[in-house]
Amino acid sequence: MASISLLEASMAILCFLILFYLLFKKPHDRFPRNWPVLGMLPGLLVSLHRLYDYSVEILEISDLTFLLKGPRFFGMDMLVTVDPANIHHIMSSNFSNYIKGPEFHDVFDVFGDGILTADSELWRNLRRSYQAMVHHQGFQKFSVSTMTSKLKDGLVPLLNHFAEEGTTVDLQDLFGRFTFDTILILITGSDPKSLSIEMHEDELAKALEDVGEGVFYRHIKPRFMWKLQNWMGLGQEKKMSQANATFDRVCSRYISAKREEIIRSQGVLNGEGEDLLTSFMKLDTAKYKLLKPRRDTTASALSWFFWLLSENPIVVAKIRQEIIDNDLPRTGNGQENLDKLVYLQAALFEAMRLYPPVSFERKSSVESDVLPSGHKVDANSKIIICLYALGRMKAVWGEDALQFKPERWITENGGPKHEPSSKFLAFNSGPRTCLGKHLAITQMKTVVVEILQKYDIKVIQGQKIEPGLGFILSMKHGLRVTITKRYST
Ligand code: HEM
């Protein structure tokens, strides 16, 4: 009881200070005030409902880097940066000094010792195994065939269904189900079939959603507070504990089923077209336990992309024209044909510049250092790279940074324009670059070509479109649309 009263008293003081802050805040004072004891936390909480745009404003006026002072004694100070020179330094040239660190592991405890949270030798080891799997020809064939059949036998029939019914549907939910089923098949070999007319809720998908949100709040709450809430089973942390239990239960179920399948097959599985779990279990006796699915990034990218298309009909017309110019309706969506779609790729990258599926990157310094911007970093400092703000900085992308302009990704002679990953961080940068980048781009192009050829997507007017707070940048209220067939299929 004593700890509850303490918590309540702290909350009351915090509410009072927030009120005080609101009453006496100067209207043009955008930079959060550094309060005695509480640091900048009140300013942060007041702007929580628009945290992403707030971070854009602050980083723009602070020359791309600023020190966020957390409450005193709680070790919550963070250096927030979107300076490409700093990003290159942290992610590549001084990579060994910037690790995920034990606190990251703690915050992302649901993922255990998986590749997302691992450092040093364990990470190198896992990365080597993943690399071998992802680049294996059998896995690549398996991923293309899995994605193609999920599209033809799952997504397309469902889109046809909603087009025939004339009902509205949440496109983000559909993409979430499509990519969740695909990734689960690639990892475990089993299809959870969440993409079906019944649209049943999959417990693992729900757990992943809760984790994404919970992890975000753990970054802005003092550690003792979320630990206490976790221990007491309160609020967001209650959901985190439940998600953790679901993860362990479902993953063990998949592992046991796979173990039996391997024993039954007795080496008949030969590496052609096999899922990651099978490959890992055959190679190593322990590492497969670290394979855990993550909340999906591709669904987030596709949802923001289709919303941006609805606001930019000229871009839709240009993509459709590119599909026709390259004769895709006749020759099909093979890899070679997809590679020719330079404008479509430009539009996808442009969408991920403005709405990066992974909203922030977090690092911890091993030793003290000085960043190229001149900021001093002590050992064990927290560094946050805010991807959402990075894509919107005028100092990085020019005066038109806030506009959706696929043309910025195309060279004068019509080829794809390369931008350094320290400037376009959507797929990470340096030795920890995303291993699924190529697969994700292929998947997104395949889906977009199929949809734009066959359907008109109309976004329902009047709905609020805004990012929800989370590690993955999803749409807080989804994306309600109606679907019509362009011609009978
Ligand atoms: C649009 C889709 C995707 C985006 C934007 C994306 C982005 C990212 C980002 C930002 C990271 C770094 C995360 C961190 O360290 O905090 C990452 C890591 C990773 N991604 Fe992706 N990803 C996508 C799809 C995929 C897919 C489909 C796969 C699986 C085939 C995949 C596999 C991985 C792996 C294994 C890592 C860990 C790399 C490492 O730490 O060495 N990604 N991705």
Side-chain angles (χ1 to χ4, degrees):
M1 279 309 281
S3 50
I4 294 178
S5 324
L6 185 67
L7 190 66
E8 281 170 352
S10 320
M11 292 309 281
I13 293 171
L14 201 60
C15 290
F16 171 76
L17 283 166
I18 290 171
L19 197 66
F20 187 78
Y21 171 85
L22 281 173
L23 288 175
F24 294 101
K25 185 166 106 81
K26 282 184 253 153
H28 301 297
D29 190 4
R30 284 209 232 129
F31 206 82
R33 188 172 298 175
N34 187 12
W35 292 88
V37 186
L38 286 173
M40 296 175 181
L41 191 64
L44 205 66
L45 293 178
V46 166
S47 304
L48 203 56
H49 63 289
R50 53 180 295 274
L51 196 61
Y52 291 113
D53 289 326
Y54 188 49
S55 68
V56 174
E57 288 163 17
I58 296 172
L59 284 156
E60 196 93 76
I61 55 174
S62 52
D63 222 5
L64 308 181
T65 305
F66 84 100
L67 181 65
L68 180 75
K69 297 288 284 178
R72 228 165 158 190
F73 313 118
F74 289 119
M76 282 180 71
D77 290 3
M78 305 173 195
L79 190 73
V80 186
T81 187
V82 288
D83 184 334
N86 288 348
I87 295 173
H88 179 71
H89 180 84
I90 294 164
M91 309 299 275
S92 299
S93 52
N94 202 7
F95 174 73
S96 58
N97 194 47
Y98 295 94
I99 58 170
K100 298 274 174 145
E103 222 178 289
F104 185 96
H105 196 278
D106 212 14
V107 166
F108 286 80
D109 54 2
V110 176
F111 294 99
D113 285 321
I115 191 164
L116 188 72
T117 56
D119 276 312
S120 35
E121 206 38 50
L122 176 61
W123 166 72
R124 261 187 291 280
N125 206 322
L126 280 168
R127 174 118 189 152
R128 267 196 300 273
S129 308
Y130 267 95
Q131 235 159 356
M133 302 299 164
V134 170
H135 295 145
H136 189 280
Q137 233 192 346
F139 179 75
Q140 288 185 352
K141 272 193 207 154
F142 181 49
S143 58
V144 171
S145 66
T146 303
M147 188 219 321
T148 313
S149 58
K150 251 299 144 199
L151 182 64
K152 305 271 183 236
D153 308 330
L155 191 59
V156 167
L158 219 54
L159 291 172
N160 286 340
H161 167 79
F162 288 112
E164 277 149 25
E165 296 279 300
T167 47
T168 66
V169 60
D170 179 356
L171 200 58
Q172 177 173 254
D173 186 31
L174 279 192
F175 288 147
R177 289 166 185 273
F178 168 71
T179 48
F180 176 73
D181 285 1
T182 310
I183 204 84
L184 251 273
I185 299 172
L186 292 184
I187 294 181
T188 67
S190 309
D191 185 352
K193 294 196 171 81
S194 73
L195 187 71
S196 59
I197 290 182
E198 298 77 41
M199 305 279 261
H200 66 83
E201 197 175 78
D202 185 279
E203 55 176 345
L204 189 56
K206 173 81 178 65
L208 284 164
E209 214 168 274
D210 290 344
V211 164
E213 206 180 298
V215 153
F216 190 92
Y217 281 99
R218 282 182 177 183
H219 278 87
I220 50 177
K221 279 183 197 166
R223 188 166 176 272
F224 91 92
M225 194 184 265
W226 69 255
K227 283 269 177 194
L228 184 67
Q229 280 186 317
N230 188 288
W231 180 69
M232 294 168 77
L234 293 176
Q236 199 82 46
E237 285 300 320
K238 185 176 174 187
K239 283 195 205 168
M240 285 293 265
S241 303
Q242 286 166 346
N244 217 339
T246 306
F247 249 60
D248 286 345
R249 186 165 29 80
V250 177
C251 290
S252 326
R253 206 168 62 211
Y254 279 122
I255 289 172
S256 315
K258 185 59 66 185
R259 195 176 283 130
E260 280 173 27
E261 193 186 316
I262 290 179
I263 293 170
R264 268 200 316 273
S265 72
Q266 295 212 329
V268 176
L269 298 171
N270 58 8
E272 280 296 308
E274 75 187 15
D275 53 85
L276 286 178
L277 191 54
T278 308
S279 307
F280 265 54
M281 285 176 99
K282 283 206 248 162
L283 266 188
D284 194 292
T285 50
K287 252 186 273 166
Y288 63 85
K289 290 184 188 140
L290 309 178
L291 264 179
K292 289 193 175 170
R294 297 185 297 145
R295 184 77 191 125
D296 189 68
T297 37
T298 316
S300 151
L302 282 171
S303 307
W304 289 110
F305 177 76
F306 273 94
W307 179 66
L308 286 166
L309 286 192
S310 73
E311 301 273 295
N312 296 274
I314 293 172
V315 176
V316 178
K318 284 186 181 174
I319 298 172
R320 282 184 174 148
Q321 193 55 50
E322 189 180 51
I323 294 171
I324 293 169
D325 291 347
N326 286 285
D327 210 11
L328 259 68
R330 198 178 56 81
T331 52
N333 305 349
Q335 185 61 52
E336 272 174 34
N337 286 340
L338 290 177
D339 287 345
K340 293 181 201 153
L341 303 178
V342 174
Y343 189 81
L344 171 56
Q345 176 154 312
L348 284 166
F349 280 17
E350 182 66 348
M352 285 187 278
R353 176 181 71 85
L354 290 167
Y355 295 99
V358 173
S359 61
F360 65 93
E361 192 63 36
R362 175 187 168 142
K363 291 280 184 182
S364 175
S365 53
V366 178
E367 288 172 8
S368 62
D369 191 17
V370 178
L371 296 179
S373 61
H375 291 82
K376 201 174 165 307
V377 171
D378 293 328
N380 287 323
S381 294
K382 275 197 270 296
I383 297 175
I384 299 284
I385 301 169
C386 181
L387 275 70
Y388 181 89
L390 172 63
R392 286 156 191 260
M393 289 294 109
K394 293 191 177 116
V396 177
W397 292 97
E399 281 306 305
D400 59 359
L402 295 183
Q403 290 171 31
F404 178 66
K405 267 192 179 173
E407 285 72 16
R408 76 174 88 232
W409 293 91
I410 297 175
T411 60
E412 273 174 15
N413 56 17
K417 187 170 170 206
H418 172 78
E419 290 289 359
S421 53
S422 54
K423 192 176 159 189
F424 177 60
L425 196 61
F427 291 102
N428 224 17
S429 180
R432 288 193 91 133
T433 293
C434 170
L435 278 167
K437 178 178 176 181
H438 188 69
L439 176 66
I441 295 172
T442 303
Q443 186 176 28
M444 289 188 288
K445 282 184 173 174
T446 311
V447 171
V448 174
V449 167
E450 185 77 20
I451 293 184
L452 288 191
Q453 282 190 109
K454 292 188 177 159
Y455 307 96
D456 281 317
I457 306 281
K458 200 160 168 253
V459 170
I460 304 293
Q461 291 302 303
Q463 61 183 314
K464 199 165 183 190
I465 304 290
E466 58 180 336
L469 296 179
F471 182 56
I472 300 296
L473 193 80
S474 52
M475 289 177 169
K476 190 171 176 181
H477 318 285
L479 181 64
R480 295 218 70 82
V481 302
T482 51
I483 298 161
T484 41
K485 286 191 195 174
R486 296 186 71 210
Y487 37 74
S488 47
T489 48

